[in-house]
Amino acid sequence: MAVRPGKPVIGVLALQGAFAEHEDYLRRAGALPVEVRLPEQLDALDGLILPGGESTTIGKLLRRFGFEEPLRRFDRPIWGTCAGMILLSQEICGGLPDQLALNRIDLRVTRNAFGRQAESFTAPLDFSDLEEPVPAVFIRAPLAEPLSDRVQVLAEVDGQVAAARQENVWVSSFHPELSGDLRLHRAFVTSCRSGSEGHKLQAGG
Ligand code: GLN
């Protein structure tokens, strides 16, 4: 797909959670961020971020405002961070019985169960495409387990999935918008600029 001129317009779901920080990082990474509160806004976007926050609350609000089907169909790059990763997964453990799972990536996630039950910690993450590790901030992060080989693991911490992608669906169990590091946002912006065949972060160790 040809690279489009101008800044890519990237939505940040702004129903609850850490959306303002993502907007700031997107702006600094060369995109035009838009706060998304209604499904009608999705058509105009080159990409979308589902931020961290409380996945049960965000899921209820997504249903209430009619986002469920539009998000299952959204065909541009989409990046779920922490609670956003939970929402994009196929299967959720430790959630409400009818918690919204958009089934956009073949992952089983377990809420609030990362590592040694640590509430919050920072760890350097190696991505094979990036020369220096990303200082990743984990806040009550989910554990994630790939359910198919369509999931490409991009980074791990303590032997657990910390970042992954499946075609143009990206997920990270940490908060990239708190890392002080723009590289992942830049990679996502590049991918939104050129469609799903754009920049590919490769699986890392
Ligand atoms: N524990 C939260 C949830 O289950 C996610 C935490 C976060 O987004 N930082 O929704």
Side-chain angles (χ1 to χ4, degrees):
M1 192 180 285
V3 173
R4 299 184 358 185
K7 292 185 180 188
V9 179
I10 302 184
V12 185
L13 185 74
L15 300 178
Q16 192 266 341
F19 53 87
E21 294 83 355
H22 272 298
E23 288 173 59
D24 178 44
Y25 274 48
L26 284 172
R27 205 171 283 117
R28 287 158 60 199
L32 192 67
V34 175
E35 292 187 0
V36 173
R37 294 195 171 81
L38 292 169
E40 293 76 37
Q41 293 176 268
L42 296 175
D43 281 350
L45 303 177
D46 296 310
L48 177 67
I49 291 179
L50 304 187
E54 183 55 48
S55 59
T56 50
T57 305
I58 299 174
K60 282 183 193 164
L61 293 170
L62 287 174
R63 279 202 175 111
R64 184 181 307 164
F65 294 115
F67 272 102
E68 189 173 346
E69 284 315 310
L71 285 180
R72 289 187 197 277
R73 286 197 309 268
F74 189 78
D75 61 358
R76 280 132 284 150
I78 184 166
W79 185 11
T81 67
C82 204
M85 171 186 193
I86 296 171
L87 288 157
L88 290 174
S89 294
Q90 181 177 331
E91 204 180 308
I92 302 171
C93 302
L96 298 175
D98 65 343
Q99 181 162 348
L100 179 62
L102 292 165
N103 194 12
R104 293 296 315 268
I105 184 163
D106 302 343
L107 284 179
R108 177 188 295 132
V109 291
T110 305
R111 295 178 63 218
N112 304 330
F114 200 84
R116 292 172 290 275
Q117 301 296 322
E119 281 284 300
S120 171
F121 60 97
T122 304
L125 289 190
D126 288 323
F127 286 78
S128 63
D129 261 15
L130 302 175
E131 275 181 22
E132 301 293 327
V134 172
V137 179
F138 294 82
I139 304 170
R140 290 168 56 79
L143 260 180
E145 185 190 338
L147 296 175
S148 84
D149 57 12
R150 299 201 299 163
V151 177
Q152 181 188 13
V153 176
L154 301 174
E156 293 186 346
V157 63
D158 280 350
Q160 307 287 350
V161 177
R165 73 180 278 179
Q166 182 174 320
E167 296 172 4
N168 61 357
V169 177
W170 302 37
V171 293
S172 54
S173 62
F174 56 95
H175 280 255
E177 80 289 2
L178 301 177
S179 62
D181 188 320
L182 285 178
R183 287 174 295 167
L184 295 179
H185 283 79
R186 282 206 190 102
F188 186 66
V189 169
T190 302
S191 148
C192 294
R193 206 186 280 284
S194 47
S196 58
E197 292 309 307
H199 180 91
K200 287 192 166 57
L201 272 174
Q202 296 303 310

